[in-house]
Amino acid sequence: MATMPPNPALDALDVLLGEWTAEVPQFGDAQGRVTIDRLEGGAFLRIRSQPPPPAPTATQLVGLDDSSGLYTVLYYDSRGVSRVYRMSFDGGVWKMWREAPGFDQRFTGTLSADGRGIQAAWEKSLDNEAWEHDFDIFYTKRADG
């Protein structure tokens, strides 16, 4: 089988590649680990998350939809939960969101000027109208990542 070339549509996400620690203040002082790398010779981006408990371990696969210019994220976690998110990354602002009856979600993360930190938060809506803060998450790029 012929090898595919890397997907240039993912180049804007290269700043996210590497090993990160993840802290969720609502979960205490424990740290988790997030690995972001290219998959299938660069055709997709993979995000593997091992956050601090009680959050689930998760894998996300990211690709770009040529027609919309937005990324699509396929999510699966250790609880057996599968979800599809839309994603954008522009000007150092990383966004993911999903619209689902009874449980909308959105994530916004801002990349630090040096590219070694991301301050982010998840929000949720249980009625698809009113939004509430769910939790914060802080990513720090590991020196070896």
Side-chain angles (χ1 to χ4, degrees):
M1 179 154 55
T3 303
M4 291 189 295
N7 185 346
L10 299 179
D11 289 350
L13 305 177
D14 281 352
V15 68
L16 301 175
L17 296 175
E19 299 281 335
W20 300 79
T21 57
E23 298 175 65
V24 180
Q26 290 88 336
F27 298 165
D29 294 334
Q31 290 187 341
R33 186 176 188 129
V34 176
T35 303
I36 303 176
D37 58 1
R38 293 270 190 132
L39 189 64
E40 292 295 317
F44 300 97
L45 197 75
R46 175 178 54 190
I47 304 170
R48 292 178 294 166
S49 302
Q50 296 174 313
T57 299
T59 298
Q60 299 170 63
L61 299 178
V62 180
L64 185 81
D65 179 356
D66 288 337
S67 66
S68 71
L70 294 173
Y71 300 96
T72 297
V73 180
L74 301 176
Y75 171 97
Y76 182 74
D77 72 28
S78 56
R79 302 170 297 179
V81 171
S82 295
R83 295 185 176 145
V84 178
Y85 293 89
R86 304 298 283 166
M87 185 182 106
S88 65
F89 187 80
D90 186 38
V93 178
W94 181 10
K95 294 184 177 188
M96 282 189 283
W97 62 94
R98 70 187 282 267
E99 296 174 357
F103 192 60
D104 289 348
Q105 292 177 287
R106 61 187 180 199
F107 164 94
T108 303
T110 302
L111 186 68
S112 64
D114 66 2
R116 301 206 59 84
I118 301 169
Q119 289 189 325
W122 279 96
E123 297 175 290
K124 63 184 177 181
S125 173
L126 302 178
D127 63 5
N128 305 101
E129 291 181 23
W131 288 91
E132 63 183 77
H133 180 265
D134 197 2
F135 62 90
D136 297 311
I137 187 164
F138 303 108
Y139 300 96
T140 303
K141 191 170 258 189
R142 295 170 49 99
D144 57 351

